[in-house]
Amino acid sequence: MTTASPAAKERSFTDSIKDAGLAALVALVLASAIMGLRTTSLPGVGGLVVVPDLPLVVGAVLVVFVGRLLLDLFVWRKIIRIPVGDKWYRRPGGRPLAHHAQRLGIMFGPALLVFAVILPFLPVSDRYVMDLSILVLTYVMLGWGLNIVVGLAGLLDLGYVAFYAVGAYSYALLAHYFDLGFWVCLPLAGILAAFWGVILGFPVLRLRGDYLAIVTLAFGEIIRIVLLNWYTFTNGPDGISGIPRPSFFGLEFERGEHGFAGFFGLDYSPMHRIIFLYYLILLLALLTNFVTIRLRRLPVGRAWEALREDEIACRSLGINTTNTKLTAFATGAMFAGFAGSFFATRQGFISPESFTFIESALILAIVVLGGLGSQIGVVIAAVVMIGGLEILRELNFLKVIFGDNFDPTSYRMLIFGLAMVVIMVWRPRGLISTRQPTIALGGRKPISGEYVGEGQG
Amino acid sequence: MEYFVQQLINGLTLGSIYGLIAIGYTMVYGIIGMINFAHGDIFMIGSFIALIFIILLGVTAGSSFLLLLFALLLVLVIAMALTATYGWTVERLAYRPLRTSFRLAPLITAIGMSIVLQNYVQVVQGARVKPLQPLISGNFTIMEKVTPEGNFLVNLSYIQILIVVTTFILMAAFSLIIAKTSLGRSQRACEQDRKMASLIGVNVDRTISLTFVMGAALAAVAGMMYLLYYGVIDFYIGFVAGVKAFTAAVLGGIGSLPGAMLGGLLIGLIETFWSAYFSIEYKDVAAFSILAIVLIFLPSGILGKPEVEKV
Amino acid sequence: MSAAAATQGAKETAGSSAEAPWANDPVLTVDHLTMRFGGLVAIDDLSFRVGRRDITAIIGPNGAGKTTVFNCATGFYKPTEGMLTLRQSGGASFLLERLPDFRISARAKVARTFQNIRLFGGMTVLENLMVAQHNPLMLASYFTLGGVLGLSHFRRAEREGVELARYWLERIRLVDRADDPAADLPYGAQRRLEIARAMCTKPELLCLDEPAAGLNPRETAELNELLRFIRDEHDTSVLLIEHDMSVVMEISDHVIVLDYGKKIADGTPDVVQNDPAVIAAYLGVEDEEVDEVEHEVEAIAKGPADA
């Protein structure tokens, strides 16, 4: 099992069997306790009892055996060749995909944009599709925001969701205590989130790498715990409900003459608000993208990337690294704040439950899987991850196979975690790893990901 | 005063558990420079395995002392072995393929593995909390204060003694392994320079694997102690315990075994005293704030080596 | 000559430098610089002057404290004791030990390169040179606000920045590689690029840490020419650490020799070259033998004259 290097091609089929057998043995050991012996409480018996579950163990061992064998035969050692697949995963640098993406990328972005703009008017767009699209776009925006911090400046932030929470709570609390509307609160939420970014960032930004990651994680948790326990101010775990919905230039989405539908002489439909929210988040996301692209071509953006490449060299060139890091942190936090207040107005209800560490991990995974620094990569990764997570909710059809006791939602996160591991092992640098230069004398040539630094802090 | 002593005892017990988990973080960070995010969940797996086998062996508080002792030792060995296999597998599947890759990739797979392990246990064992009847009860009363409202007793329970003693025995054993055996030497060599170590014939893959195995085995001990002490576990205990244990490792100075133990004890004490004297809701805030403050003002921890910036 | 006499000799050369040209209008004055790391004394009471529009070389055996002097002068280390004064040609002067590292480059105008090249590998050659112009461009973009709005003022400044970059790229013959990632360049080109990047900050004093390390003879000759060009055409003073004596002796106006953190010689290349203490330090002889070496040197020096 320890010798599954791709180079060892000469070995025979029996070796593959042996290797898969070993893997199955390990699987047997792993599965024996946790899967094979289930603790449950039976009626009438005090405490827990252990119920053996042999079929599950056998199933797991078989899956591992067959899976390992197939992978070994077709992918790692290629004892049996598949004619088409070769180009895809064979090359270590991952050139082909990046190359295609590059060539397609020129048309891909605009095409995607056009698609996003006309989506609400497509026949497939029912309530479900629109809700899902809004969710995906929210994560695209968060991914783009975090991309500034992690992808450009190379600062590993595991507490990004804290700024999302600050944005959401800013709007909810301002609306609750001061009766302010969405449009007033949106910039305020962004400013407050950026402000918190500076406050939290200032002491910690001299830390490097994993230490920065763990401290940002700690800050994220602190903010969540405070929101959870400051009952008099934030209503604690019960959350804040009745958050006002956004208006369209003063027109509320409601029945009657003074509503949006009445004003434009349309029939009232609840979809209007959904479509409006969709365009709102699309606009916010595009604003994030536009500003990021602009900033990359400005001195501050170049300084961020230079910081990621070599901090000491930056200092030797007169760049104030603390300020530069802070601007990256604050800019990223600001966009999270915008996204947060959008989230609050869309849900109408928020509670600390929505801002757990797993959200930060999800956003970071989107950024890393998309390819650090790549704007289009974030979009692809967000569609795949968020779309995938939602599709996993719809696994009820599997009940046909596994029986009625099968509960697809509990498998959702399990599959999600596995997918994270598999994609990362498959493409450690993300789907699109090339970097676009920000300025050129001749033509702009994409830079291969292997040259691009990953940041120290 | 009596109240203080009682909290001190409780804090040291909790701190021992954190310290055992922290050793896993510190060893892995020392050797491959990554935060093994899934380590907290390995600890959780360890406590589940212990729970399963305690129930399976059918020991209860009523069993005779010798039988109980023997059964618990057996469970401990099984839990260590099985949990170690989990630790080994996680390294093999999620970290080894990315070892030469860039820094963020293993962090993401570690987070992914943490999600996988949590949900795996949730799916297979159920999301409900798992209670266990106390197996070891009884205590020494070491202080007594007579007040009009009643007597306040300072108790040192047998289980607390068991936890602290086991922790220190294991700690000593592992320090010995690191200091004296060839495995320890290989580990220290890989810590210094992995490439050079492999050039002079150290089996780097094996050394790293064994580091994960050792860390997981210790986490299993911590898991079992946690189970016996609190009597209730669920699939989510790994996250918070993991973050606190990492805090402990950092506080003590990452890469240092005695540091991890010291950090664990300190975090345990801080958390216990904070809960006892200030507010129990904010005990995690206290632990996380300590982490931030330590990293900002003492980045190399209490017993760690200071890092010199190379220009 | 005893050990005491050797130090005496060093003092004499130092004393004679009072009339030396670099003492009149020094760009950098180092006074009683001491740097200790724990118990280790890396630099011990070091004083010297770096003349304006001179190429000054600091030489010495490995571990003599040369790079530490650089790190003190560019703010990466804070000296334990001593004073580093930088006087710009405009008259402004700065106490370098009091400035944080990025201010030394931004305000005092001291630029540097690194012994192990530190380029922004994933950025193009041109981008590297644009990052070097961060501060003026930042100002021109009104601290980003104007730039985000796309004001013409910034676009003009950026065009000028690109022109400056192109000027240096022509000078180091890398124009046709301007759009390639810096990490993709061959070693010698990376060294040149690092110098060009430092020059894009328009420094008063350029500090080069072993610029000729790893270069072949042709590249070394080019480097010499580049450094002369920088001194003559850009009025930039150059301070360099170098092991390659062909570079040092050929282009330096002034050489300072360090050994164990102390200055053992200071003067023109000719003077330093024949200093017995220097030769002793390089050959690693005992203090008692310095005398002998001195005789040998004299014999060799006389040799050609006799012939």
Side-chain angles (χ1 to χ4, degrees):
Chain A
M1 167 129 190
T2 43
T3 50
S5 90
K9 230 194 255 184
E10 321 76 50
R11 296 182 317 155
S12 65
F13 186 73
T14 45
D15 283 324
S16 292
I17 298 275
K18 244 187 245 169
D19 173 86
L22 268 174
L25 194 70
V26 173
L28 180 67
V29 173
L30 294 183
S32 61
I34 298 282
M35 289 173 108
L37 301 165
R38 195 176 294 184
T39 52
T40 46
S41 44
L42 292 181
V45 187
L48 295 166
V49 290
V50 170
V51 183
D53 189 342
L54 195 62
L56 191 63
V57 176
V58 173
V61 170
L62 273 181
V63 165
V64 169
F65 181 78
V66 174
R68 177 93 190 172
L69 190 64
L70 290 180
L71 274 175
D72 204 33
L73 290 180
F74 291 101
V75 181
W76 290 325
R77 281 199 263 144
K78 296 213 190 313
I79 289 169
I80 303 166
R81 285 185 167 274
I82 328 168
V84 231
D86 223 34
K87 248 193 281 176
W88 268 74
Y89 40 67
R90 196 56 193 154
R91 296 192 205 165
R95 261 274 164 66
L97 189 64
H99 250 61
H100 294 314
Q102 190 51 52
R103 225 174 298 155
L104 282 175
I106 299 162
M107 298 159 303
F108 190 58
L112 214 58
L113 181 60
V114 170
F115 176 74
V117 170
I118 61 169
L119 179 69
F121 302 105
L122 295 180
V124 292
S125 303
D126 54 5
R127 174 81 195 244
Y128 174 73
V129 170
M130 291 315 294
D131 276 340
L132 181 57
S133 308
I134 289 173
L135 191 67
V136 168
L137 278 175
T138 312
Y139 279 96
V140 168
M141 176 165 178
L142 287 169
W144 275 339
L146 185 61
N147 206 5
I148 296 175
V149 184
V150 182
L152 294 184
L155 303 166
L156 187 46
D157 183 356
L158 282 182
Y160 191 62
V161 78
F163 306 122
Y164 188 43
V166 167
Y169 269 89
S170 300
Y171 173 46
L173 293 172
L174 284 170
H176 184 75
Y177 287 106
F178 301 105
D179 272 330
L180 294 179
F182 175 73
W183 293 104
V184 181
C185 290
L186 182 69
L188 284 178
I191 290 167
L192 276 170
F195 173 73
W196 275 99
V198 173
I199 298 252
L200 297 187
F202 196 72
V204 305
L205 282 176
R206 62 174 142 159
L207 299 173
R208 286 162 170 275
D210 295 332
Y211 282 3
L212 179 69
I214 207 84
V215 172
T216 49
L217 185 156
F219 275 145
E221 286 294 295
I222 288 174
I223 286 193
R224 190 179 64 84
I225 295 169
V226 170
L227 290 176
L228 200 59
N229 289 305
W230 196 355
Y231 206 88
T232 50
F233 185 56
T234 65
N235 213 17
D238 300 340
I240 301 171
S241 53
I243 300 167
R245 303 293 188 159
S247 61
F248 181 78
F249 295 105
L251 293 172
E252 300 292 339
F253 290 89
E254 57 190 16
R255 268 180 216 284
E257 260 176 67
H258 302 292
F260 173 81
F263 186 83
F264 288 100
L266 302 167
D267 289 333
Y268 174 77
S269 155
M271 277 300 280
H272 289 161
R273 193 211 317 269
I274 307 288
I275 293 173
F276 172 67
L277 284 172
Y278 174 81
Y279 279 119
L280 181 59
I281 186 65
L282 182 64
L283 206 71
L284 284 172
L286 287 176
L287 177 79
T288 313
N289 188 30
F290 171 79
V291 171
T292 310
I293 290 174
R294 259 280 154 85
L295 288 177
R296 268 197 77 206
R297 292 178 188 173
L298 288 173
V300 68
R302 283 198 200 111
W304 289 341
E305 292 202 74
L307 206 59
R308 178 192 65 204
E309 300 286 326
D310 195 325
E311 187 179 336
I312 286 175
C314 279
R315 273 150 55 187
S316 84
L317 295 171
I319 295 173
N320 183 338
T321 48
T322 314
N323 286 357
T324 308
K325 284 180 182 176
L326 276 180
T327 54
F329 220 62
T331 313
M334 180 181 75
F335 288 123
F338 290 154
S341 62
F342 172 81
F343 176 77
T345 193
R346 182 206 162 196
Q347 300 291 93
F349 165 79
I350 53 168
S351 76
E353 278 302 289
S354 309
F355 308 104
T356 51
F357 167 70
I358 199 81
E359 291 292 312
S360 284
L362 182 59
I363 304 166
L364 182 68
I366 287 174
V367 173
V368 177
L369 291 178
L372 286 178
S374 164
Q375 296 291 92
I376 204 86
V378 166
V379 179
I380 299 171
V383 170
V384 169
M385 304 265 295
I386 305 300
L389 263 179
E390 287 308 304
I391 289 168
L392 287 176
R393 275 189 208 278
E394 310 295 313
L395 287 178
N396 279 320
F397 68 91
L398 285 179
K399 279 189 179 167
V400 182
I401 308 167
F402 293 106
D404 276 344
N405 287 333
F406 180 81
D407 176 18
T409 46
S410 55
Y411 283 83
R412 185 169 151 254
M413 288 310 284
L414 180 63
I415 296 172
F416 173 73
L418 278 175
M420 241 164 108
V421 175
V422 169
I423 300 179
M424 236 31 243
V425 171
W426 173 52
R427 288 190 73 83
R429 280 202 168 260
L431 296 169
I432 296 179
S433 57
T434 52
R435 173 182 176 270
Q436 282 296 326
T438 59
I439 192 167
L441 279 186
R444 261 173 228 188
K445 291 177 281 188
I447 295 171
S448 161
E450 63 201 277
Y451 293 126
V452 180
E454 49 186 307
Q456 282 299 309
Chain B
M1 176 62 197
E2 284 73 17
Y3 189 60
F4 177 84
V5 173
Q6 183 67 64
Q7 297 311 323
L8 191 70
I9 295 169
N10 296 349
L12 286 176
T13 315
L14 182 62
S16 300
I17 294 175
Y18 285 151
L20 281 174
I21 311 174
I23 289 174
Y25 279 108
T26 222
M27 285 199 304
V28 167
Y29 195 95
I31 201 160
I32 55 175
M34 72 166 280
I35 300 175
N36 179 10
F37 227 95
H39 190 63
D41 299 293
I42 294 284
F43 153 79
M44 178 270 296
I45 295 258
S47 70
F48 265 90
I49 293 173
L51 173 75
I52 290 167
F53 281 92
I54 286 174
I55 296 173
L56 207 62
L57 290 177
V59 284
T60 56
S63 310
S64 74
F65 177 73
L66 267 180
L67 180 70
L68 192 64
L69 189 72
F70 178 73
L72 285 184
L73 261 178
L74 187 66
V75 171
L76 186 69
V77 170
I78 294 173
M80 283 172 85
L82 289 180
T83 313
T85 319
Y86 272 93
W88 181 85
T89 312
V90 166
E91 193 272 337
R92 185 67 189 76
L93 290 181
Y95 306 152
R96 189 181 297 179
L98 296 171
R99 200 176 294 151
T100 53
S101 177
F102 87 144
R103 190 172 54 88
L104 277 180
L107 188 75
I108 299 288
T109 52
I111 292 172
M113 265 299 161
S114 164
I115 296 175
V116 168
L117 290 176
Q118 270 176 32
N119 287 280
Y120 163 66
V121 172
Q122 189 195 354
V123 162
V124 184
Q125 296 284 345
R128 285 211 208 124
V129 292
K130 304 282 177 183
L132 179 73
Q133 311 294 315
L135 287 181
I136 306 166
S137 47
N139 53 52
F140 299 113
T141 301
I142 50 173
M143 273 190 197
E144 194 170 352
K145 186 184 177 185
V146 185
T147 57
E149 297 91 53
N151 294 355
F152 184 82
L153 304 175
V154 177
N155 289 330
L156 177 61
S157 64
Y158 298 152
I159 180 76
Q160 286 176 325
I161 298 173
L162 178 77
I163 290 174
V164 174
V165 168
T166 313
T167 304
F168 278 90
I169 291 174
L170 282 169
M171 180 66 204
F174 272 82
S175 302
L176 216 63
I177 289 176
I178 301 294
K180 301 280 184 214
T181 64
S182 73
L183 168 66
R185 262 197 303 283
S186 306
Q187 265 182 337
R188 279 176 285 144
C190 291
E191 228 168 272
Q192 297 277 325
D193 188 336
R194 229 184 300 152
K195 198 177 251 170
M196 198 59 217
S198 80
L199 284 177
I200 57 167
V202 174
N203 186 339
V204 174
D205 279 349
R206 210 179 119 238
T207 310
I208 293 176
S209 277
L210 279 172
T211 307
F212 275 85
V213 164
M214 279 161 57
L218 286 180
V221 179
M224 182 166 166
M225 298 300 158
Y226 184 96
L227 174 70
L228 292 177
Y229 190 49
Y230 290 104
V232 53
I233 55 172
D234 63 51
F235 71 96
Y236 198 65
I237 56 169
F239 176 69
V240 173
V243 173
K244 284 186 195 151
F246 183 76
T247 307
V250 171
L251 180 61
I254 201 145
S256 148
L257 283 189
M261 211 54 240
L262 181 67
L265 291 177
L266 282 174
I267 291 289
L269 287 172
I270 288 163
E271 192 181 317
T272 310
F273 279 108
W274 188 277
S275 311
Y277 289 101
F278 299 104
S279 82
I280 195 154
E281 289 88 12
Y282 287 102
K283 72 183 162 84
D284 290 352
V285 171
F288 291 138
S289 310
I290 296 289
L291 171 73
I293 291 166
V294 168
L295 279 177
I296 292 161
F297 293 105
L298 197 71
S300 48
I302 299 170
L303 298 179
K305 288 163 266 169
E307 205 174 301
V308 182
E309 186 180 52
K310 272 281 199 193
V311 179
Chain C
M1 216 198 256
S2 68
T7 350
Q8 186 71 37
K11 272 189 193 138
E12 271 165 26
T13 39
S16 67
S17 71
E19 297 88 51
W22 46 83
N24 296 333
D25 178 23
V27 61
L28 177 69
T29 311
V30 176
D31 290 311
H32 306 291
L33 179 68
T34 300
M35 183 78 208
R36 288 189 208 102
F37 298 101
L40 180 84
V41 185
I43 306 172
D44 188 8
D45 194 24
L46 176 69
S47 304
F48 64 87
R49 310 257 176 284
V50 176
R52 197 176 302 285
R53 283 180 286 281
D54 273 356
I55 294 178
T56 308
I58 301 182
I59 63 169
N62 285 326
K66 305 182 297 286
T67 301
T68 309
V69 174
F70 261 43
N71 285 339
C72 288
T74 49
F76 284 93
Y77 294 162
K78 289 288 152 235
T80 322
E81 283 164 33
M83 209 162 79
L84 300 121
T85 317
L86 187 111
R87 288 190 190 80
Q88 292 183 344
S89 48
S93 73
F94 298 88
L95 289 175
L96 299 185
E97 76 276 7
R98 296 198 185 159
L99 291 179
D101 44 23
F102 67 91
R103 289 249 162 75
I104 289 184
S105 170
R107 304 256 305 279
K109 293 281 170 204
V110 178
R112 74 170 290 177
T113 65
F114 297 87
Q115 200 169 337
N116 45 340
I117 306 172
R118 285 183 178 273
L119 288 169
F120 306 122
M123 301 173 85
T124 65
V125 170
L126 179 63
E127 282 178 312
N128 268 272
L129 300 183
M130 296 304 285
V131 172
Q133 303 174 54
H134 177 80
N135 287 316
L137 287 177
M138 198 72 181
L139 213 61
S141 73
Y142 300 118
F143 299 96
T144 310
L145 289 175
V148 171
L149 300 174
L151 298 186
S152 63
H153 179 67
F154 171 69
R155 269 179 279 148
R156 201 163 50 241
E158 193 179 53
R159 264 200 303 280
E160 283 164 15
V162 173
E163 281 318 306
L164 180 66
R166 188 199 291 276
Y167 168 83
W168 280 109
L169 285 176
E170 275 162 8
R171 190 36 62 181
I172 61 170
R173 296 183 298 100
L174 282 177
V175 183
D176 46 338
R177 303 222 50 184
D179 301 326
D180 290 335
D184 201 22
L185 297 179
Y187 188 80
Q190 292 195 8
R191 283 247 176 251
R192 294 205 299 276
L193 177 59
E194 209 189 10
I195 296 174
R197 187 180 68 180
M199 284 312 291
C200 278
T201 64
K202 299 186 176 163
E204 285 274 325
L205 175 65
L206 175 66
C207 301
L208 304 173
D209 199 343
E210 300 197 22
L215 300 188
N216 63 32
R218 192 175 54 82
E219 287 172 327
T220 307
E222 277 174 15
L223 174 76
N224 287 351
E225 202 226 331
L226 177 67
L227 294 186
R228 282 203 197 93
F229 171 80
I230 286 171
R231 174 190 61 186
D232 298 338
E233 303 297 320
H234 284 270
D235 287 351
T236 301
S237 320
V238 178
L239 178 65
L240 60 94
I241 293 175
E242 192 45 73
H243 280 298
D244 187 334
M245 285 306 142
S246 68
V247 176
V248 173
M249 295 307 162
E250 202 183 316
I251 63 168
S252 311
D253 302 300
H254 172 194
V255 178
I256 296 156
V257 190
L258 299 189
D259 194 17
Y260 294 110
K262 288 190 163 109
K263 187 167 79 175
I264 56 171
D266 184 342
T268 59
D270 292 338
V271 171
V272 167
Q273 209 164 10
N274 297 319
D275 191 314
V278 174
I279 293 159
Y282 267 87
L283 298 179
V285 294
E286 298 293 319
D287 285 340
E288 294 77 45
E289 296 171 44
V290 170
D291 217 10
E292 283 171 43
V293 176
E294 196 167 34
H295 285 299
E296 280 170 35
V297 170
E298 274 165 21
I300 295 165
K302 271 180 205 154
D306 290 343

